[in-house]
Amino acid sequence: MKAHDGLYIDGAWRPAESTDEIEVVNPADERVIARVPAGGAADVDSAVRAARAALPAWAATPPAERAARLTALRDALAARKDEIAETVTAELGSPLAFSQAVHAAVPLAVAGSYAELAATHSFEEKVGNSTVLHEPIGVVGAITPWNYPLHQIVAKVAPALAAGCTVVLKPAEDTPLTAQLFAEAVHEAGVPAGVFNLVTGLGPVAGQALAEHPGVDLVSFTGSTAVGRRIGAVAGGAVKKVALELGGKSANVILPSADLAKAVNVGVANVMSNSGQTCSAWTRMLVHRDRYEEAVELAAAAAAKYGDRIGPVVSAGQRARVRGYIEKGVAEGARLVAGGPDSPREKGYFVAPTVLADVTPEMTVAQEEIFGPVLTVLRYEDEEDALRIANGTVYGLAGAVWAADEAEAVAFARRMDTGQVDINGGRFNPLAPFGGYKQSGVGRELGAHGLTEYLQTKSLQF
C-alpha cells in the first residue's frame, strides 16, 4: 500500500522531526500494510506556523477564488475515487462496495457543496446602521476519527477553506493513508502552500499538541465524548473556540402504527452499516410491548443476513471493547437472539452482527456507545414511556421515528432531545446541519451551518 514517509507542511512533503512511526494494519487480515510518521509537538508547531503565515493572504482571497480551489479539490478527489475506496478498504476493513458507495462518494458531494457555498454565501450583511462582517476565525486544528476517514476530513477542511481559514489536520492513527491521499488532492488543486497542512501522529502526542497550541484559533474534533471533554478543557483554558462532534446512543422509535417489518429491517441495516462504527447509528430500537416479540424475531432474522456482508471493526482493541459490551449486556440480563461475543472468523477483527433483546433503559448497553454491530431492542408501554426512554441518555446525536401518519412521527420527533431525526427512513442530506445535543457535542457540521462554525463576527457602525 502506497504511503508517504513524510508530513505535508507548507505545500510540500517533508521528513518529520520525530523518528517514530505508526504501523497501519489491515483489520481484515491483521497484516501491516504501511508505516507513516508519528509526528510530534515540533512537527505540529511547524505546521501551525505555516498555517499562520499563509492565513492573511488566504483570508483576503476573494470567495470566488476560494470556491474555484474547492471545485478543483473536489475534482482531484473524484479522479482518485477508486484509489480512495481501495485505501479505505485496506486500512479500515470496509467492504469495497461500501467504500465506493459511501466512503469515496459522499465526500465528493460535501466538497462540492462547499465550493458552491463559498461562491454564494454572504460574508457581510446590513443590520440597521451597521455592516456586519463574517470573517475567518483563523487557524483551525482539525482532529478527525477513523470510522469515516475521508468524509470527516472533508466535512472539516472544506468549510474551513471556504471560510478563509487555514488548517492543520491530525487524522486518526488507524487510517492515515486516506488523509495522505487527501493531501495529494489538495496539492493538485492548487491550494496555496501553508493553507492546508497534514501531521500524522498519535492522539495523546500530536493531537494534544495541536489542541493546546497557542497559534490555533479553533479546534474541530470528532471522536469520543471522553476525549472531547479533554479537548474542551484545554481549549477553554486558552479561550479558543471548539467544535465537537462526539458520541451517540440514538433511538429508533417504532410507533404502533408503523410498518413494523420495514422499520425493523431499515433499523438493522442502519446499525450494521460500516460494521456499526457510526456515531449516529440507531443502536436502541424502541418497540411497543404489543409488537415487541415480533420485532425481536424480525431483527434477529435481519441481522443474520449480515454475517458475511459486513467488514471487521477497525482494531483488536475495538473488537475486545465490543465483545466486552456484548458479554456485559448478557450478564446484566439481556437476551442474546443473534450473534454474540465469539469471533465468526479465525483471522481479522470481526464481530458477529448481534441483537440483544429484553434490554432495559438502565443497562450499560442501553446507555453507553458500543461502536460495533450491536443492536439493543427495548420495549415501551406508551408514547410517553417511549419518549422518556429515547431521551434517557447523556447523548443526543441522531434518531429515527416511524409511524403510518408522517405528522404523528414528526410530532414525536419534535419532542426528542437530539440533533437530527430521520422520519420514516428519511434520506441523508449533505446540506442539513449535523451535530448533537447534550454530551453529543457542540456546534454543527455540513451545509451553511457548518460553514458558520469557521467564521467570527465583526460589526461596523455608521
Side-chain angles (χ1 to χ4, degrees), residues 6-7 22 36-40 43 169-171 176-177 179-180 198-202 206:
L7 310 173
I22 296 170
V36 301
D43 299 302
L169 169 67
K170 205 298 287 183
L177 303 182
Q180 289 188 343
L198 169 67
V199 178
T200 53
L202 302 177

Side-chain angles (χ1 to χ4, degrees), residues 181-201:
L181 287 177
F182 179 80
E184 290 178 2
V186 167
H187 190 84
E188 183 180 313
V191 175
V195 170
F196 170 81
N197 306 273
L198 169 67
V199 178
T200 53

Side-chain angles (χ1 to χ4, degrees), residues 102-321:
V102 177
H103 289 295
V106 172
L108 298 181
V110 175
S113 73
Y114 280 114
E116 182 175 346
L117 274 169
T120 60
H121 187 79
S122 177
F123 289 93
E124 63 177 73
E125 59 183 317
K126 291 291 292 183
V127 179
N129 65 306
S130 301
T131 297
V132 179
L133 310 179
H134 302 285
E135 301 179 333
I137 198 165
V139 174
V140 173
I143 304 174
T144 56
W146 45 261
N147 59 326
Y148 290 90
L150 184 59
H151 169 67
Q152 297 288 359
I153 289 171
V154 172
K156 296 182 188 303
V157 176
L161 299 188
C165 297
T166 56
V167 180
V168 177
L169 169 67
K170 205 298 287 183
E173 47 262 39
D174 293 295
T175 53
L177 303 182
T178 303
Q180 289 188 343
L181 287 177
F182 179 80
E184 290 178 2
V186 167
H187 190 84
E188 183 180 313
V191 175
V195 170
F196 170 81
N197 306 273
L198 169 67
V199 178
T200 53
L202 302 177
V205 181
Q208 177 81 13
L210 186 58
E212 64 188 15
H213 198 291
V216 171
D217 300 294
L218 179 150
V219 180
S220 180
F221 169 78
T222 296
S224 72
T225 297
V227 175
R229 289 193 195 101
R230 293 202 295 271
I231 288 175
V234 168
V239 197
K240 68 176 69 174
K241 185 178 178 180
V242 295
L244 304 173
E245 197 269 280
L246 308 176
K249 196 68 185 174
S250 301
N252 179 16
V253 182
I254 304 175
L255 295 176
S257 67
D259 180 334
L260 185 66
K262 181 179 180 180
V264 170
N265 285 324
V266 174
V268 171
N270 175 277
V271 172
M272 301 306 159
S273 177
N274 209 39
S275 301
Q277 299 168 130
T278 303
C279 54
S280 57
W282 311 332
T283 52
R284 294 181 298 144
M285 181 178 288
L286 277 57
V287 185
H288 189 270
R289 64 179 182 180
D290 290 345
R291 306 195 72 185
Y292 183 80
E293 288 302 333
E294 182 185 357
V296 168
E297 290 181 10
L298 288 167
K305 298 176 183 178
Y306 286 87
D308 58 357
R309 291 165 56 184
I310 64 173
V313 295
V314 74
S315 66
Q318 186 64 18
R319 179 180 60 184
R321 169 188 167 88

Side-chain angles (χ1 to χ4, degrees), residues 17 47 54 57 59 85-86 141 189 197 209 238 240 307 311 315 319 331 337 339 359 393 432 439:
E17 294 286 340
E86 292 166 1
N197 306 273
K240 68 176 69 174
S315 66
R319 179 180 60 184
V337 297
V359 174
T393 76
Q439 292 187 28

